[in-house]
Amino acid sequence: MTAPIVLYIEDHPDNMTLVRRVLQSENYTLIEACTGLQGILLAETEEVDLILLDVNLPDIDGYEVARRLRASKKTRLAEIPIVAVTANAMRGDDAKILESGCNFYLSKPINIQELIDTVEGLIQLEARGVRS
């Protein structure tokens, strides 16, 4: 069985390093993008099982990235789980994240066990064809 592939769209090097170390230690393959547009391109050209998405990106925000992924000509992107990873914790941000097309969100600073549990749970649902 091949390792599940996770795309992480994140512009902050420290966050990328943390997630890389955690996911690789859990036997996931990580594909990295540091801008929203680069992330969209990778999602459309690679076969990924899950997308972790920073909301605050330097080019287009994560909300727009999620909307574009959900509207992609690559129909599988309408179903791939997208997890927003965000420091935005204001009232209403959770609804905005979910309305943009994300399935779930994690708050920053990243809780390592919560990250592992979320990725593992969503990958298992994806493998069984269950949508959240």
Side-chain angles (χ1 to χ4, degrees):
M1 184 172 134
T2 61
I5 300 171
V6 176
L7 168 61
Y8 188 24
I9 306 169
E10 168 67 67
D11 65 317
H12 195 282
D14 291 342
N15 291 333
M16 185 66 78
T17 298
L18 172 65
V19 169
R20 179 187 314 117
R21 288 180 180 161
V22 169
L23 294 184
Q24 287 177 346
S25 75
E26 296 291 321
N27 297 314
Y28 292 99
T29 298
L30 186 66
I31 298 174
E32 303 174 13
C34 58
T35 68
L37 294 174
Q38 181 186 26
I40 292 168
L41 178 64
L42 286 170
E44 290 179 341
T45 57
E46 302 289 333
E47 292 303 318
V48 300
D49 298 296
L50 181 128
I51 299 168
L52 297 173
L53 174 60
D54 181 22
V55 171
N56 298 309
L57 295 166
D59 53 354
I60 58 175
D61 66 32
Y63 306 115
E64 182 62 22
V65 172
R67 284 190 287 272
R68 290 186 191 188
L69 291 173
R70 294 303 188 211
S72 174
K73 291 179 183 174
K74 183 178 178 180
T75 55
R76 186 163 185 263
L77 289 178
E79 303 296 328
I80 297 293
I82 301 175
V83 178
V85 184
T86 180
N88 296 353
M90 303 294 288
R91 181 180 300 233
D93 284 336
D94 54 347
K96 187 175 179 182
I97 288 166
L98 298 174
E99 288 168 6
S100 71
C102 295
N103 302 85
F104 197 78
Y105 69 95
L106 295 171
S107 297
K108 289 181 183 176
I110 296 170
N111 175 302
I112 292 172
Q113 191 59 54
E114 185 179 22
L115 172 67
I116 292 168
D117 293 345
T118 300
V119 169
E120 183 178 298
L122 290 173
I123 293 277
Q124 288 175 358
L125 289 175
E126 174 70 12
R128 291 195 309 253
V130 177
R131 304 291 172 236
S132 58

